[in-house]
Amino acid sequence: MEYENESPEAESPMDERIGKGWTLLESGDVDGARELAGLVLEEGEPDADALLLKAACEREDGDDEAALEVLAEAIKQDPEWATPRLWTAELLLLQGRGVEALKHARAAVELADDEDEFLAAVIFRSTLEFESDNPAAAKAGLEELPPADVLATTPEMALEAAELHLALGQTEKARELAQAVVDANEDEEAVTDAWYTIGLVEEAAGDEKAKRRAWLKVHDADAKAAEGSEGFVADEDEVAAMAESAVEELPVKARKLLKNVPILIADFPSREEVTEGLDPRLLGLFRGTPLPDTETLGAGPALTQIVLYRHNLQRVAPDDASLADEVRTTLLHETGHFFGLDEEELTAMGLD
């Protein structure tokens, strides 16, 4: 969850402690941040700023139910503040409570008085409308956003909107937004993300050459960024150990069938594979013949392998705990392909 702690309240001495709490939270000191929030809350009437910080601490610790309870207090304390509504919607969606999430997202749009908050609320509400099988409402919501060249100055939001346009079948609008991000930004990460979205757009449009050109830019930029990375980096042995733990969750019979299927760790798909059309940000890949086909075609499991792409996994999971979860999900997804399951079946199992 992105933490936006701007409050409609005027600055006060109390706000300085809350600001320090946010700094502690962003540095990973959850207990320190929670202590400061608690001190503020103990001194007087419930404070919406302190409650928001406390909710962020609960969320960081993985206690979504506690976070929702605190956010409900924050909404009660300051019913005109959009941020607690938006956070509540995000958490409810994670719990599969889409109808309730949409209610709060709609309220957040109406209450937002900060530009970034408004943009985030509109895009999130439109996403929920789409997921609620109401594409007309989702399209109408996206029409509330500023023109592409203006939205491009907030690249993350622009690309979220572009991907939603793409999901709605509006490829030209998606392409326009992604290209606007390329044109308006000097930040290499934002531009690379935009080229990745352009590749998705061209794939949807059926232009394989344009897709591959865009994704080669992504591959080269991601590889260059990985070389200079000073952040969290798990080595091959660590990722392999996470994969082995995931395999151990499978039934004994499934583990026996997988015994001769090697699990390989690579940094990224190769440049040659991307040239052939493979997604440069793929998390994992099953290669070979699915098990059901070996029974009829006579192919052996030695022809198969599962590949996990280390840097791509770390790109979406920037710490040990989240990386282990992502490795598990990706490995089980690719294992599902080995056992003959298709993408729809894997999505229904929560392995998308």
Side-chain angles (χ1 to χ4, degrees):
M1 176 183 289
E2 295 289 335
Y3 295 132
E4 297 291 342
N5 56 310
E6 292 185 9
S7 166
E9 300 294 329
E11 289 296 319
S12 68
M14 184 178 292
D15 292 331
E16 293 180 6
R17 287 182 292 174
I18 298 302
K20 183 178 179 181
W22 285 108
T23 300
L24 290 174
L25 182 60
E26 290 166 3
S27 70
D29 186 357
V30 180
D31 290 337
R34 182 183 283 108
E35 182 179 358
L36 282 175
L39 287 173
V40 174
L41 292 169
E42 288 171 4
E43 291 181 358
E45 293 296 320
D47 177 86
D49 292 311
L51 288 167
L52 193 71
L53 176 58
K54 183 180 178 182
C57 292
E58 301 294 357
R59 180 71 180 97
E60 199 68 25
D61 278 344
D63 193 341
D64 290 355
E65 283 298 335
L68 283 169
E69 289 178 10
V70 177
L71 288 169
E73 291 184 55
I75 292 170
K76 182 178 179 180
Q77 180 65 24
D78 190 349
E80 300 302 313
W81 191 10
T83 298
R85 297 272 189 179
L86 189 57
W87 286 22
T88 297
E90 292 172 351
L91 289 173
L92 288 171
L93 181 62
L94 289 174
Q95 294 186 347
R97 297 158 65 182
V99 174
E100 295 173 74
L102 183 54
K103 176 183 175 181
H104 283 279
R106 287 170 174 166
V109 172
E110 297 301 320
L111 294 170
D113 56 9
D114 170 80
E115 182 179 0
D116 285 350
E117 189 176 57
F118 173 74
L119 295 176
V122 167
I123 293 169
F124 189 62
R125 181 196 62 188
S126 297
T127 300
L128 290 175
E129 298 283 12
F130 173 69
E131 293 180 355
S132 299
D133 295 323
N134 193 350
K139 291 177 181 179
L142 290 176
E143 291 298 322
E144 297 179 41
L145 297 174
D149 59 338
V150 176
L151 188 56
T153 60
T154 53
E156 185 175 347
M157 293 185 192
L159 294 177
E160 284 185 29
E163 292 186 13
L164 183 53
H165 277 302
L166 185 58
L168 288 163
Q170 299 175 311
T171 54
E172 288 305 317
K173 290 185 176 181
R175 183 186 286 110
E176 180 186 10
L177 266 177
Q179 187 62 54
V181 172
V182 171
D183 296 340
N185 290 274
E186 295 183 359
D187 179 75
E188 291 184 8
E189 184 177 357
V191 171
T192 303
D193 289 345
W195 277 116
Y196 180 72
T197 301
I198 289 172
L200 293 174
V201 171
E202 301 302 352
E203 182 177 54
D207 190 335
E208 278 293 309
K209 288 184 178 180
K211 179 192 80 171
R212 295 175 189 186
R213 283 196 300 269
W215 279 357
L216 280 171
K217 293 178 185 288
V218 175
H219 174 278
D220 294 346
D222 283 351
K224 180 181 177 181
E227 289 178 3
S229 175
E230 297 181 356
F232 165 73
V233 179
D235 62 29
E236 290 187 19
D237 289 342
E238 290 173 303
V239 176
M242 294 174 185
E244 183 62 30
S245 295
V247 170
E248 289 300 315
E249 295 182 28
L250 297 170
V252 173
K253 183 177 180 181
R255 294 203 302 271
K256 286 182 179 179
L257 291 169
L258 280 167
K259 186 176 181 180
N260 294 320
V261 179
I263 299 172
L264 309 179
I265 312 297
D267 286 348
F268 304 99
S270 70
R271 200 173 196 279
E272 291 72 22
E273 289 173 318
V274 177
T275 301
E276 294 171 359
L278 194 65
D279 184 338
R281 290 184 168 176
L282 205 61
L283 301 182
L285 179 66
F286 166 73
R287 291 193 183 108
T289 307
L291 184 64
D293 292 343
T294 67
E295 298 171 356
T296 56
L297 301 177
L303 297 175
T304 68
Q305 61 182 210
I306 291 172
V307 186
L308 300 177
Y309 295 111
R310 181 169 65 103
H311 280 291
N312 286 349
L313 286 161
Q314 289 180 143
R315 188 178 166 278
V316 299
D319 57 61
D320 278 324
S322 59
L323 179 60
D325 286 342
E326 198 62 58
V327 168
R328 174 187 178 277
T329 300
T330 302
L331 181 64
L332 295 180
H333 180 105
E334 303 309 329
T335 299
H337 285 312
F338 169 70
F339 288 113
L341 300 177
D342 61 24
E343 292 295 337
E344 289 186 2
E345 290 171 315
L346 290 167
T347 298
M349 295 170 64
L351 295 174
D352 50 350

